[in-house]
Amino acid sequence: MSLIASVGNMSRLHDGPIIDDDLYVILVDISANSLTVLVSLFGMLTNGVNILIFLRQGFSEQVTITLLALAVSDMMALMVNSIPNLVFFIALKLFGVALFSDEITYVTTGTLHLAFVRVTGWLTAFITFERCLCVTLPLHVRSAVTKRRVTFVVIAIYIFSFSCLAPTYYTTYYNWSYLPHMNSSYLILMDTDHRVVLDHMSFIIGNVFPAIASFSIVLLSTVFLSIGLISSKTFHKHHTKQLSVATDKFQRITRKKIKIIKLTSLLALIFIVTFTPTIIFTVWIACDPGFSATGFNSNFFKVAFSFSFLMESLNSSLHVFPYYSMSTNYRTRFKPSFSCFFTNT
């Protein structure tokens, strides 16, 4: 709290904001208009591949349902985040048309992106928590976690994530306004009388709580998964030495269990690393009212969250690599679908 407060009051030590307008344009161009767009385009391609593979795998295993739902939320988060930036960048660079991107994207795509990001967080938390229970309480979880219940949880996560952010659409609307310095009328964002109260409530319920709760579940579950992975390897070595001839069935079950733990742990690790900036900035907003889009250091605020959007895009784009490296079933479906890339293998 003291660290956040001290950093939040840095502007008092300077005559101007932390990031001036010129540096702001450069940093946002690099982070939001270039790197995030490139990463998002790559992520949309990889998630399209993931969706295709999971659909071809079928739903014989419950985990495929959650992984498919995760790929869909990642795909949609990348689409609503990158396409507007690409449109605004092209309009400015090629046609010289300056669009009020902050005004337009706040409600149209910014809120949607945040909703899908929260879905990704909760799905990652559910996957790691469910796998953690499978390691610690395998007999109880096997009968409790059914495909119907997993489907219900996935649908509930989507509904909860979007309903928490619904007040944004109730408290904001677009209206035409004449701007004298532009000598023209533009659509700008307007607020209702209920904006202040509802925004504070929706921010706590729909942003702070889901972000911290899902992140904490993933973090704690990853710790237990790591312990479970070490225990599984120790158990495997011990029983292999005890058996004069280790049965093939025992070997297959143990290897599959270890691979699943490794895959889930890697997905969780990617999430933890890439979402740490988002958690830091979200807590910062809650603790420091001056850290906002309209405050004295609004440029710093926007650059900080453009970086967090870049990291969130990385999380949504990298899942194809652990899937391919650690899932035999995924590779079995992947290679025939893209056989042109494996003609020499």
Side-chain angles (χ1 to χ4, degrees), residues 163-290:
S163 61
C164 285
L165 298 170
T168 300
Y169 293 96
Y170 176 72
T171 58
T172 56
Y173 63 96
Y174 288 108
N175 196 10
W176 290 100
S177 179
Y178 177 75
L179 304 180
H181 63 284
M182 300 292 293
N183 194 27
S184 183
S185 295
Y186 290 89
L187 278 175
I188 63 173
L189 200 62
M190 305 291 289
D191 302 332
T192 65
D193 296 334
H194 312 286
R195 173 75 186 274
V196 176
V197 176
L198 289 180
D199 254 20
H200 179 72
M201 293 175 57
S202 64
F203 177 74
I204 299 297
I205 298 174
N207 200 343
V208 177
F209 168 73
I212 295 178
S214 59
F215 188 85
S216 300
I217 293 172
V218 173
L219 185 61
L220 293 175
S221 298
T222 304
V223 173
F224 283 105
L225 280 175
S226 301
I227 297 173
L229 178 60
I230 296 172
S231 301
S232 296
K233 287 183 176 180
T234 305
F235 175 83
H236 172 63
K237 291 180 180 178
H238 174 73
H239 280 262
T240 300
K241 291 179 180 179
Q242 292 291 325
L243 296 173
S244 56
V245 179
T247 62
D248 290 339
K249 183 177 180 181
F250 173 78
Q251 294 281 0
R252 287 196 304 269
I253 292 175
T254 306
R255 283 196 299 266
K256 183 178 180 181
K257 179 182 179 181
I258 292 175
K259 280 186 176 181
I260 292 175
I261 295 175
K262 284 184 176 180
L263 173 60
T264 308
S265 300
L266 187 53
L267 292 177
L269 182 61
I270 293 173
F271 176 83
I272 291 170
V273 172
T274 55
F275 269 76
T276 296
T278 299
I279 297 299
I280 293 174
F281 297 143
T282 300
V283 174
W284 193 338
I285 293 175
C287 297
D288 181 12

Side-chain angles (χ1 to χ4, degrees), residues 104-160:
I104 297 173
T105 58
Y106 176 75
V107 173
T108 56
T109 60
T111 303
L112 288 177
H113 169 77
L114 182 58
F116 283 114
V117 166
R118 293 294 168 258
V119 170
T120 293
W122 281 116
L123 286 175
T124 306
F126 176 70
I127 292 170
T128 52
F129 181 69
E130 185 266 340
R131 187 50 49 188
C132 182
L133 291 179
C134 286
V135 172
T136 55
L137 303 170
L139 298 178
H140 298 280
V141 175
R142 189 173 300 174
S143 58
V145 181
T146 62
K147 286 188 285 187
R148 176 176 293 183
R149 289 172 180 171
V150 169
T151 304
F152 173 80
V153 170
V154 169
I155 295 174
I157 287 174
Y158 270 87
I159 294 175
F160 173 76

